[in-house]
Amino acid sequence: MKSVLTNTTESGEKADAEYLKFLECQKELTACSQSSLYFLQKYGKIRDKLKGIIPWEPWPHLVKLLRLFKEYRFIIILKSKQIGATWTAAGDNLHLALFHEGANILTLSKGEAEATESLDYSRFIHSFLPDFLRLPVGKDQSSLLSFPSMHSKIRALPSTKDAGVGFGGATRVVMDEFEYHEYARENLSEILPPILAGGQLIIQSTADNFKLDTLFKELYTAARRGDNNFYPIFFPYDVVPGRDLEWYENLSKTGLRDSEIKSRFPKTEQEALETLKTRRFFDPGIISQMY
């Protein structure tokens, strides 16, 4: 009789523990569905070239970025290199696909390798989620990641001449490193019509100071003047913790030219957008004096 009572008690305790675990998972599921910041901060894992697999870090500029993703339909980001923006966008894309039924997300990158990598970021984060968050994957290809239970998908394509053709009903389009897209104007003209129906367009890139007039610079400067619908934001080199003045001054010792440093790790918007003196038709200093 004693062993029967013991077994019954143990079974009851196990059932209670499982029920409490179930309730906790449901609580976490709700919290994650309501906030991509909570989702990434609690469960996001990223791949760092030096540190290996590490938790996604809620640096202030990335927290701000996630907030802007929720507040604006049209966003254009001028940024320094390696500030975590691509990983954060990939995490937010995944969050959208997991919790927004029917989400249709497209990422356009400079080339095929970059497109594959951007989608791999979302796939990587998904692979490290706990069981109660990780959904069964449907099509899992180099250019497509789908979740049949939510009827959602994330597609990644290179910026070819036909990229975006026939892509209708977009929930979100992310155009990554847009400055370097060979067919930037063609792609934007194909992407905009379905976006105008209610989707979101996020453009982010560093600027290339070897190029005079690009669509990215045109859109960003127009946004700063309030001449288009984009919300502009600039992230300088020092938004990443540890990038102080000493770090910046050491860049010149890596072999990078001064022009390359200013282009890839700008301090100001003006520095990011200015072109090399050898490529200019007019001296900006003289023009400023004339004004």
Side-chain angles (χ1 to χ4, degrees), residues 47-64:
R47 188 172 51 235
D48 185 273
K49 293 178 181 178
L50 297 177
K51 301 176 184 177
I53 299 171
I54 61 173
W56 177 85
E57 298 181 77
W59 294 332
H61 71 285
L62 298 181
V63 173
K64 182 177 183 178

Side-chain angles (χ1 to χ4, degrees), residues 145-176:
L145 179 62
S146 67
F147 302 101
S149 63
M150 289 298 291
H151 306 285
S152 62
K153 60 185 176 182
I154 308 173
R155 187 183 297 276
L157 298 173
S159 176
T160 61
K161 192 171 184 178
D162 297 327
V165 174
F167 188 82
T171 308
R172 171 186 288 173
V173 176
V174 180
M175 307 185 90
D176 194 34

